[in-house]
Amino acid sequence: MKKRIFLLLLPLLFLACTKTPITGRNQLIMMSADEEMKLGLETSKEILENSRLSRDKEATEVLKRVGDNIAVVTNRDYNTTNYQWEFNLIDNPKEANAFCLPGGRIFVFTGIFRYMDSDDELAAVIGHEVGHALARHGAERKSSATLSKIGVGILQVLNELDDKSTRAQKDESNKLTEHMAQRWIMLPHSRTQEYEADHIGLVLSAKAGYNPNAALRFWEKFSALKSNQPEYTSTHPTAKHRIEKIKELIPSVMPYYEASKKKEVKKLEKVKDFIPLAVPFFKD
Ligand SMILES: [Zn+2]
């Protein structure tokens, strides 16, 4: 049994404690920045090989313009020049979503433009995704999953050694341990990262000259059409809680916005103007 527990604890040797930029939260990461970048680039390549990029020039340009403006302030203020920022627009009007990969590859689906009326609102979404990359949330999530597995594994080994329990009781207890780890460790952790990405995103987009109030407008529109899954069963906070937190943060980020060179707000096209492609377009 000692050997089994030792093997479970082995990954702890690679544990590193860091602090997130802007929010200053302590985080545990068991992956080097280089490894993380490599993983992000490999996944990005796979996604690009299997996705159809939008051919809408205007929307693609808007995304790149807003993305580049945010990447510039991130590199300038948070030493991320090793990141390879790239902003890809995926042609999928039904998907209102965006995500980021470690190292700065951001993907936005055309469906999210249904909720956008200005560059400022798009900046709220891009800022959030850049926030995930800047705070190394992908590597942290992977590390937390490993740590949670170690804890669950140790409890399950001890449970197996309990002579008084029947096989059925042991199976039940093992299942319960996994469920508790998911409910009380992984899901709350994921929600913490979401709030943090909102916070970092507000700072970055304000520094890049985008109005932080637009984040509220975006989330209000977005939440009207999203399901109301109970927060404790979800990886994401409810829109209501998200809006409350953003409201609280706005006064603290307004000075960044006021200090930045204010940019012209350009109206975006609505999703109905996106022409779905008849022929799939793959980037080579
Ligand atoms: Zn997020």
Side-chain angles (χ1 to χ4, degrees):
M1 183 195 60
K2 269 186 191 161
K3 196 178 165 196
R4 212 167 148 191
I5 291 187
F6 173 75
L7 285 174
L8 282 168
L9 293 173
L10 205 57
L12 296 179
L13 290 175
F14 303 96
L15 203 64
C17 194
T18 54
K19 260 191 197 305
T20 51
I22 298 175
T23 56
R25 179 176 60 86
N26 287 319
Q27 54 178 182
L28 294 168
I29 294 184
M30 294 190 288
M31 191 187 264
S32 73
D34 285 349
E35 254 181 290
E36 190 189 353
M37 297 277 168
K38 201 171 152 240
L39 186 71
L41 291 180
E42 280 168 7
T43 315
S44 165
K45 208 173 152 237
E46 260 171 53
I47 292 169
L48 288 172
E49 277 166 9
N50 295 295
S51 309
R52 193 171 58 182
L53 289 181
S54 172
R55 278 172 139 171
D56 185 314
K57 272 191 178 166
E58 194 185 343
T60 304
E61 270 169 27
V62 170
L63 175 63
K64 291 200 189 297
R65 178 177 69 233
V66 176
D68 286 348
N69 285 336
I70 292 176
V72 164
V73 297
T74 311
N75 285 349
R76 184 194 69 196
D77 295 349
Y78 303 100
N79 193 25
T80 49
T81 43
N82 57 331
Y83 279 54
Q84 295 184 27
W85 300 110
E86 193 179 87
F87 302 91
N88 298 292
L89 185 61
I90 296 182
D91 182 37
N92 187 345
K94 286 185 183 156
E95 184 70 46
N97 220 331
F99 66 94
C100 87
L101 294 173
R105 303 291 168 117
I106 314 274
F107 295 85
V108 176
F109 294 93
T110 49
I112 210 161
F113 279 72
R114 220 180 310 152
Y115 305 92
M116 308 272 184
D117 289 302
S118 65
D119 279 21
D120 298 66
E121 290 178 28
L122 182 59
V125 172
I126 298 178
H128 174 96
E129 298 306 332
V130 169
H132 277 308
L134 178 62
R136 300 185 62 195
H137 283 166
E140 190 189 17
R141 199 159 41 236
K142 233 170 170 275
S143 308
S144 309
T146 306
L147 288 174
S148 168
K149 257 189 205 156
I150 291 171
V152 167
I154 290 173
L155 290 174
Q156 289 178 339
V157 168
L158 296 173
N159 182 39
E160 290 297 329
L161 292 172
D162 181 1
D163 296 334
K164 287 174 197 145
S165 303
T166 62
R167 182 69 256 157
Q169 283 171 325
K170 282 179 184 177
D171 288 348
E172 185 62 25
S173 177
N174 285 342
K175 240 167 75 186
L176 186 69
T177 310
E178 270 173 29
H179 173 78
M180 298 297 268
Q182 184 67 9
R183 169 89 178 262
W184 299 107
I185 300 171
M186 294 310 292
L187 291 178
H189 185 244
S190 175
R191 294 194 292 268
T192 299
Q193 289 190 334
E194 288 306 313
Y195 285 125
E196 190 165 74
D198 282 344
H199 185 164
I200 296 175
L202 278 177
V203 172
L204 297 178
S205 53
K207 283 187 170 191
Y210 297 105
N211 191 337
N213 287 299
L216 280 181
R217 284 198 298 275
F218 168 76
W219 279 108
E220 275 158 6
K221 279 184 283 181
F222 194 70
S223 64
L225 285 141
K226 280 274 160 180
S227 76
N228 281 322
Q229 186 185 359
E231 188 172 75
Y232 61 87
T233 63
S234 171
T235 54
H236 281 59
T238 59
K240 182 176 165 271
H241 286 160
R242 206 159 201 169
I243 290 168
E244 279 167 10
K245 292 253 182 189
I246 291 173
K247 262 187 197 155
E248 278 170 29
L249 288 167
I250 285 178
S252 69
V253 300
M254 282 314 272
Y256 296 124
Y257 173 56
E258 275 144 21
S260 69
K261 187 175 162 284
K262 217 175 159 192
K263 290 181 170 60
E264 184 197 344
V265 176
K266 208 168 174 251
K267 290 280 171 197
L268 294 179
E269 294 299 320
K270 292 286 188 177
V271 78
K272 62 178 162 49
D273 300 318
F274 282 79
I275 301 156
L277 296 173
V279 184
F281 171 65
F282 294 103
K283 197 180 171 184
D284 53 27

